[in-house]
Every structure is written in structure tokens, then in C-alpha cells.
């Protein structure tokens, strides 16, 4: 099982470290890793909107 984890800054701050875009997506393959990323996003000062899409 895998998920597409997307984080977008509500304030337009850079989220993608390479392009400095306010949105970044990553494929996550581990449930524990996904949960860690969600917790970290909630505490992130960039005020992130997170979406998670399950892919098979």
C-alpha cells in the first residue's frame, strides 16, 4: 500500500526545497512514516494544508 502525501503552505511559503514552490508531493510506502509526516505537518509553522491519497 502507498499514499501520495501533498503539503501546501496556506501562506505561500516554500515547501519544496528544490523549486521553492508552496506545494510538494511525495509517495509514502509505510503507514508509520505517513503518520509521522502528518504529525510533523500539523506542527509546521508554514500552516500547511495536507492531503493524502491512497494509491494501489
Amino acid at each position: 500500500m502507498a499514499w501520495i502525501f501533498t503539503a501546501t503552505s496556506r501562506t505561500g511559503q516554500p515547501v519544496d526545497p528544490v523549486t521553492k514552490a508552496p506545494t510538494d508531493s511525495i509517495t509514502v510506502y509505510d503507514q508509520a512514516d505517513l503518520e509521522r509526516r502528518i504529525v510533523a505537518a500539523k506542527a509546521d509553522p508554514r500552516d500547511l494544508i495536507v492531503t493524502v491519497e491512497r494509491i494501489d
Side-chain angles (χ1 to χ4, degrees), residues 26-42:
I26 184 171
T27 304
V28 180
Y29 296 95
D30 179 72
Q31 178 79 38
D33 184 25
L34 177 64
E35 292 172 7
R36 282 191 298 272
R37 290 177 184 278
I38 291 170
V39 168
K42 287 180 181 178

Side-chain angles (χ1 to χ4, degrees), residues 1-4 27-29 53-56:
M1 186 179 309
W3 300 267
I4 301 294
T27 304
V28 180
Y29 296 95
E53 179 184 346
R54 182 178 162 182
I55 57 175
D56 295 324

Side-chain angles (χ1 to χ4, degrees), residues 9-28:
S9 172
R10 293 178 206 250
T11 60
Q13 295 180 14
V15 176
D16 184 316
V18 176
T19 66
K20 306 297 186 217
T23 299
D24 194 16
S25 295
I26 184 171
T27 304
V28 180

Side-chain angles (χ1 to χ4, degrees), residues 35-53:
E35 292 172 7
R36 282 191 298 272
R37 290 177 184 278
I38 291 170
V39 168
K42 287 180 181 178
D44 193 290
R46 292 173 288 189
D47 192 19
L48 300 177
I49 299 169
V50 171
T51 60
V52 177
E53 179 184 346

